[in-house]
Amino acid sequence: MRVIPVNVAKAIPSTGPAGSLEGLRNAIKPKAGGEGKDGPSFQEILKGYVQDVGQMEKEADKLVEGLASGEVTDVHQVMLAVEEANMALDLLIEVRNKLLQAYQEIARTSI
C-alpha cells in the first residue's frame, strides 16, 4: 500500500525568520531517482521536522535575547518568531499524540 503524504505545509504561510517550514516542505517533496523508493520515509520526514522545530526555537530564543540586550528593536519580528516556533512545537506535539493514539489502537486490536 502506497501512502501519499498530504502537503499541508504549502497552505501555511511562512512569515518568520529563515524560512521556517521550508524543511518540512522539502522533506515532503519526492526525491528524484529514488530507485524503487516513492519518496522520503516517514522517519526522515519526522526527523527533519523535529530538527526544523528545534532550529526555530533557537532562532526565536536568539531574537528574544537580542531584544532584551537592545540589539533587536523590532518587537513585531521577535513576537512573530516566538509565536511561529510555538505553533510549530504545538503541531509537533499533536503529531506525537496522534501517533501514540494510533499505536495504542493497533496494540488493542486482536488478531
Side-chain angles (χ1 to χ4, degrees), residues 79-97:
M79 289 306 297
L80 279 176
V82 169
E83 284 304 311
E84 190 173 69
N86 285 338
M87 286 177 52
L89 183 61
D90 288 344
L91 176 62
L92 183 63
I93 290 170
E94 286 301 317
V95 168
R96 185 219 45 189
N97 291 344

Side-chain angles (χ1 to χ4, degrees), residues 18-94:
S20 301
L21 296 175
E22 288 300 318
L24 179 61
R25 290 183 189 136
N26 292 334
I28 293 175
K29 289 181 185 175
K31 296 177 183 174
E35 292 184 34
K37 247 185 149 179
D38 292 330
S41 69
F42 187 69
Q43 178 184 1
E44 292 169 342
I45 291 172
L46 282 180
K47 183 179 178 181
Y49 187 65
V50 168
Q51 290 172 345
D52 289 345
V53 170
Q55 183 64 32
M56 290 170 65
E57 288 285 334
K58 288 177 186 175
E59 290 173 4
D61 287 343
K62 189 186 295 185
L63 285 172
V64 168
E65 288 174 7
L67 183 66
S69 67
E71 295 172 10
V72 178
T73 58
D74 189 4
V75 177
H76 185 257
Q77 176 188 8
V78 175
M79 289 306 297
L80 279 176
V82 169
E83 284 304 311
E84 190 173 69
N86 285 338
M87 286 177 52
L89 183 61
D90 288 344
L91 176 62
L92 183 63
I93 290 170
E94 286 301 317

Side-chain angles (χ1 to χ4, degrees), residues 47 99 110:
K47 183 179 178 181
L99 286 172
S110 62

